[in-house]
Amino acid sequence: MSAPKTNIETQKSRHHGPLIGMFIVVVGIVGLFIYWLLDKAATADAPLTEGEQSQVEEPGDDLREEVTSPASDTAPSVPAAPPPP
């Protein structure tokens, strides 16, 4: 089936607004994407120079605690017994 009334000039005039609107949206999204990329590049850390080492943290490093023996950080509550005679 084909369209009963096809007037190309009328269709052109009816589609100008939506096409211009879609073009503006696409250009805006591309502009925001480029702005985001440039912002990320400007705030990125400087690359390592020769001789510098990367300090990459392993996942969970902040969750680990140093384990110490209980006697090392508290004073003994009971005095030591004298040696046997």
Side-chain angles (χ1 to χ4, degrees):
M1 297 177 100
S2 62
K5 295 180 182 177
T6 54
N7 186 348
I8 300 298
E9 295 305 317
T10 304
Q11 296 299 323
K12 280 183 185 179
S13 65
R14 288 184 181 169
H15 287 85
H16 279 299
L19 288 173
I20 291 171
M22 286 185 269
F23 178 74
I24 290 171
V25 168
V26 168
V27 168
I29 290 172
V30 169
L32 286 174
F33 182 69
I34 290 172
Y35 171 78
W36 177 74
L37 285 176
L38 292 174
D39 183 53
K40 285 292 183 185
T43 59
D45 294 334
L48 296 176
T49 59
E50 189 174 324
E52 289 182 327
Q53 293 182 356
S54 173
Q55 295 181 359
V56 177
E57 294 182 16
E58 293 181 17
D61 278 347
D62 57 338
L63 301 177
R64 295 184 188 147
E65 297 178 8
E66 289 187 28
V67 179
T68 59
S69 64
S72 68
D73 54 344
T74 59
S77 58
V78 178

